[in-house]
């Protein structure tokens, strides 16, 4: 149990700015094993964001409370996933070869592709969440988005090669391998919040996310031959937006 707690704390320290004990052990092997808890980290972040939203909504209009929540989310994660989306958009959008794309991804400067992707992602998230903000179960929708999107993104580690140079990558240290057992834990924990949804809704969302994962995986393989940490961040952002879009299409008020 102590070892599992240490793995969770390692995952928490990697994906958030939440302090963990300085004594938490780290090794490349532990980092790989910590990937099983990436979805649970998302669940914790989602709950914290939902809490901030509801406190803010007691004093502010819903759209302003939502803005406060999104700002809080960026502070919690250090804009970790948003940075990945930005870098991937710049790299794949601006590079004409695999080597150039990977090189651009490691550049801390933001280009037109990255800026456009970041603006659209944040604006899209605000609009989609604002559409659902008045729903009584809004907290659950946030938690589902945060949890399930991280499960989808982290699952790409299982069957894709890691193509970035870990010595130069901004996203090191990164889990680069995933066993079948770790994948199972990741996916099962990612689906936990969905137990509070109707089964038909869960099956539809999962089905669409499976198609998204398949398409995104093969697109990455074609463009760069595998994944980088930035690609996982981009996958999380896109999956989260897709989840919210599906929830609205299915009628969040009727879930």
């Amino acid at each position: 149990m102590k070892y599992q707690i240490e793995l969770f704390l390692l995952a928490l320290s990697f994906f958030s700015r939440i302090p963990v004990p300085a004594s938490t052990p780290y090794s490349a092997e532990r980092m790989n094993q910590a990937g099983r808890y990436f979805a649970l980290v998302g669940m914790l972040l989602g709950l914290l964001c939902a809490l901030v939203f509801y406190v803010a909504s007691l004093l502010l209009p819903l759209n302003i409370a939502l803005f406060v929540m999104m700002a809080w989310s960026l502070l919690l994660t250090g804009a970790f996933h948003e940075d990945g989306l930005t870098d991937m958009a710049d790299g794949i959008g601006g590079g004409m070869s695999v080597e150039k794309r990977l090189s651009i991804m490691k550049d801390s400067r933001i280009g037109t592709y990255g800026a456009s992707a970041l603006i659209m992602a944040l604006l899209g998230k605000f609009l989609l969440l604002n559409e659902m903000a008045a729903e009584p179960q809004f907290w659950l929708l946030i938690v589902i988005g945060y949890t399930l999107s991280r499960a989808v993104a982290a699952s790409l580690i299982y069957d894709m090669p890691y193509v970035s140079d870990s010595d130069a990558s901004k996203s090191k240290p990164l889990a680069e391998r995933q066993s079948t057992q770790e994948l199972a834990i990741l996916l099962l924990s990612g689906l936990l919040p969905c137990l509070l949804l109707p089964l038909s809704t869960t099956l539809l969302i999962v089905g669409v996310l499976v198609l998204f994962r398949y398409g995104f995986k093969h697109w990455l393989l074609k463009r760069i031959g595998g994944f980088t940490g930035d690609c996982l961040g981009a996958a999380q952002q896109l999956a989260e937006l897709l989840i919210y879009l599906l929830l609205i299409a299915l009628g969040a008020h009727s879930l």
Side-chain angles (χ1 to χ4, degrees):
M1 180 60 70
K2 178 184 176 183
Y3 186 76
Q4 298 305 314
I5 293 174
E6 289 174 347
L7 290 181
F8 175 79
L9 291 175
L10 184 58
L12 184 64
S13 69
F14 183 65
F15 276 120
S16 79
R17 297 295 177 88
I18 297 175
V20 301
S23 59
T24 303
Y26 167 79
S27 68
E29 184 61 28
R30 280 177 177 254
M31 190 68 243
N32 286 319
Q33 294 175 348
R36 68 185 68 175
Y37 293 125
F38 286 174
L40 288 181
V41 170
M43 186 184 299
L44 174 61
L45 296 175
L47 288 170
L48 291 174
C49 287
L51 176 62
V52 166
F53 171 80
Y54 278 110
V55 171
S57 67
L58 297 175
L59 306 170
L60 302 166
L62 289 183
N63 58 344
I64 306 301
L66 183 57
F67 173 80
V68 171
M69 186 202 80
M70 289 181 63
W72 169 246
S73 178
L74 292 174
L75 290 173
L76 272 181
T77 64
F80 187 74
H81 304 294
E82 290 81 1
D83 178 66
L85 173 65
T86 303
D87 288 336
M88 190 200 75
D90 272 335
I92 294 184
M96 296 296 106
S97 67
V98 172
E99 294 74 18
K100 185 63 175 176
R101 289 165 187 154
L102 293 175
S103 176
I104 294 174
M105 284 188 201
K106 296 168 187 173
D107 192 332
S108 59
R109 293 170 295 184
I110 298 179
T112 302
Y113 294 106
S116 299
L118 179 61
I119 291 170
M120 293 301 292
L122 291 175
L123 178 60
K125 195 177 298 185
F126 178 83
L127 291 173
L128 293 171
L129 289 173
N130 190 56
E131 188 69 22
M132 301 184 291
E135 301 299 336
Q137 73 279 23
F138 182 55
W139 69 272
L140 175 61
L141 308 182
I142 296 172
V143 172
I144 289 172
Y146 274 61
T147 307
L148 195 52
S149 64
R150 283 163 174 80
V152 171
S155 73
L156 292 169
I157 301 172
Y158 178 72
D159 55 357
M160 291 185 71
Y162 182 61
V163 296
S164 185
D165 179 0
S166 60
D167 292 331
S169 174
K170 296 184 303 177
S171 59
K172 65 176 186 292
L174 174 71
E176 301 175 20
R177 299 187 311 276
Q178 194 174 70
S179 69
T180 302
Q181 179 185 27
E182 286 155 2
L183 176 66
I185 295 172
L186 172 71
L187 296 180
L188 288 174
S189 58
L191 288 169
L192 279 177
C194 294
L195 295 177
L196 298 178
L197 293 177
L199 179 59
S200 59
T201 300
T202 297
L203 291 176
L204 181 58
I205 291 175
V206 169
V208 173
L209 289 175
V210 168
L211 292 176
F212 163 76
R213 184 190 183 279
Y214 176 85
F216 191 70
K217 169 189 170 182
H218 287 276
W219 181 71
L220 288 178
L221 289 172
K222 183 177 180 180
R223 303 302 289 176
I224 60 174
F227 78 92
T228 69
D230 291 328
C231 296
L232 298 186
Q236 186 279 319
Q237 288 289 289
L238 295 174
E240 185 179 350
L241 287 166
L242 181 57
I243 290 167
Y244 298 147
L245 188 63
L246 288 169
L247 288 170
I248 291 173
L250 293 170
H253 63 278
S254 63
L255 299 179

